[in-house]
Amino acid sequence: MSSSIIHVILTGGVGSRLWPLSRKSQPKQYLELFQGKSLFEMTVARNSHLVDQVMVVGNRDNCHLSKKVLEKSQTSYIDIVEATPRNTAAAIAFAAFAAQAEDILIVTPSDHIIDEMEAYNSAISVAIAKAQDNFIVTFGIVPTQPETGFGYIEYQEDKVLSFREKPSKAIALDFISRGNFLWNSGMFCFKAAVLLDELKAFEPEVYAKAKAAWEANQAGQLDYDLSMAIPSISIDYAVMERSKKIKVVASQFGWSDLGSFESVYDYLAAQGHPVDAQGNMVIGTDIFSTFVGMKNTIFVSTPDANLILQKEQSQDVKHIYNQLEKENSQLLQ
């Protein structure tokens, strides 16, 4: 039986740094902020001509949102519904168990913006060729600035020398000046069996318990108790940082994880969204809103909550989200 190329879309995130736009009932990947489209819809579309099949790994709270988008674009797909979040090693293992051993999986988050499609398509082709040779491929993005919100990959040609955590500004500047560091995009490409063999070698408990949960699935729905038994660990720690089969594709396409209001601001500004002379932007309302004596401020409006922030403090929005979570606030729903 010939192998398929499968696009695996991970949709588990809640986008805590984009509160109050992003909520548990409407996480950032489903917000129709981008010329009337959502990031999830754009993710499906950008890969549709490259793959034979789509697989969505989501959770009980968002699977109906994915379904709506996929039905709108008339995309047939395999649905894997996690009972509870167990991090990316388990999510990716479920997709690999759902595939045939020789199938090639292209794994992407559902909430990234990607431009320059020619460069993207060529990076995907290179990755598929390496995956056919039994390598696990990660996509590194050639950095455009010393970003502190991303992990980095130190590399030489297609070899990974090291994975680095999100750096301080000084370390990020050092990485950029050295010229052999890439942003870690969280996108991967591999044969199902190759990934599962490596997971089994390095994290046998994750492998065995994810397998047990997958084998007991009911039409793609996973059991809560079996899922809770799976150790929660990222694919980076479980496999990427330990396997000898890793290759990196240094990619030139435009990429943003839209993980903060600063990156949303930059994207919307580039699309012609209004910004005043002092660099202030309004998101989410047509009500006349203006700024006096303020610079680089973002005003985010929703029916039940407003957020006013300095663009440079965008990473701190997650502290508000975490505080509201502690209070069990309705404002997260």
Side-chain angles (χ1 to χ4, degrees):
M1 184 177 152
S2 68
S3 62
S4 297
I5 296 175
I6 300 173
H7 179 202
V8 177
I9 309 176
L10 305 178
T11 69
V14 292
S16 59
R17 287 172 297 173
L18 291 189
W19 180 88
L21 288 182
S22 186
R23 309 287 181 106
K24 288 183 175 171
S25 60
Q26 193 78 359
K28 70 167 178 174
Q29 57 270 31
Y30 303 104
L31 298 171
E32 294 186 344
L33 276 181
F34 310 97
Q35 286 100 45
K37 289 193 170 136
S38 68
L39 295 171
F40 178 78
E41 188 175 348
M42 289 155 77
T43 302
V44 173
R46 115 172 36 103
N47 291 283
S48 58
H49 62 292
L50 302 171
V51 301
D52 307 306
Q53 177 63 263
V54 174
M55 211 180 263
V56 177
V57 185
N59 58 46
R60 287 175 176 175
D61 296 334
N62 71 15
C63 59
H64 65 288
L65 298 169
S66 299
K67 185 177 181 197
K68 206 163 89 180
V69 173
L70 289 155
E71 284 179 351
K72 176 179 159 188
S73 61
Q74 297 181 318
T75 305
S76 70
Y77 68 106
I78 296 165
D79 201 12
I80 299 172
V81 183
E82 292 186 286
T84 179
R86 299 315 284 157
N87 215 317
T88 50
I92 290 170
F94 296 141
F97 285 128
Q100 301 297 316
E102 289 293 301
D103 287 346
I104 288 178
L105 275 49
I106 299 166
V107 178
T108 75
S110 56
D111 55 1
H112 291 181
I113 280 273
I114 288 175
D115 294 317
E116 294 140 68
M117 291 319 296
E118 219 167 285
Y120 178 77
N121 294 343
S122 107
I124 295 279
S125 304
V126 171
I128 288 170
K130 290 182 194 295
Q132 274 160 341
D133 290 336
N134 297 323
F135 289 108
I136 296 173
V137 183
T138 182
F139 293 81
I141 311 295
V142 176
T144 53
Q145 64 199 48
E147 175 61 60
T148 58
F150 305 146
Y152 283 73
I153 298 168
E154 184 184 8
Y155 78 111
Q156 185 179 7
E157 293 171 351
D158 68 352
K159 289 189 190 66
V160 174
L161 303 179
S162 69
F163 286 92
R164 303 294 184 91
E165 294 293 321
K166 293 174 183 176
S168 65
K169 195 72 168 181
I171 291 172
L173 281 162
D174 179 49
F175 288 170
I176 301 287
S177 69
R178 288 206 243 165
N180 70 323
F181 281 82
L182 303 165
W183 288 336
N184 187 350
S185 72
M187 293 169 48
F188 311 103
C189 181
F190 47 76
K191 279 185 190 168
V194 172
L195 186 279
L196 289 173
D197 286 348
E198 294 296 271
L199 181 64
K200 191 175 183 179
F202 295 112
E203 290 289 341
E205 192 186 359
V206 175
Y207 172 88
K209 292 192 166 161
K211 188 167 195 267
W214 175 249
E215 285 172 351
N217 85 81
Q218 303 283 326
Q221 303 253 354
L222 297 165
D223 176 79
Y224 180 81
D225 292 332
L226 289 172
S227 300
M228 278 306 286
I230 306 166
S232 177
I233 179 169
S234 76
I235 197 70
D236 288 341
Y237 286 129
V239 174
M240 297 295 155
E241 295 179 11
R242 296 151 86 179
S243 171
K244 298 281 181 277
K245 294 187 175 177
I246 308 297
K247 295 283 186 194
V248 64
V249 174
S251 309
Q252 293 280 0
F253 53 82
W255 173 86
S256 169
D257 75 341
L258 287 192
S260 69
F261 278 112
E262 183 165 18
S263 53
V264 171
Y265 174 107
D266 291 342
Y267 177 77
L268 291 177
Q271 301 295 317
H273 190 89
V275 179
D276 76 11
Q278 301 303 314
N280 302 305
M281 178 185 281
V282 176
I283 299 174
T285 181
D286 295 326
I287 293 173
F288 178 75
S289 308
T290 190
F291 302 80
V292 177
M294 297 167 104
K295 273 188 176 171
N296 298 337
T297 300
I298 307 173
F299 172 55
V300 184
S301 176
T302 70
D304 61 351
N306 294 328
L307 173 70
I308 300 156
L309 70 149
Q310 286 295 146
K311 180 158 77 102
E312 296 73 26
Q313 307 291 123
S314 289
Q315 296 291 340
D316 296 340
V317 174
K318 65 174 178 288
H319 302 319
I320 298 167
Y321 188 96
N322 294 343
Q323 186 55 40
L324 290 168
E325 198 156 43
K326 276 194 197 112
E327 294 163 11
N328 213 355
S329 170
Q330 280 306 301
L331 293 171
L332 298 186
Q333 298 312 314

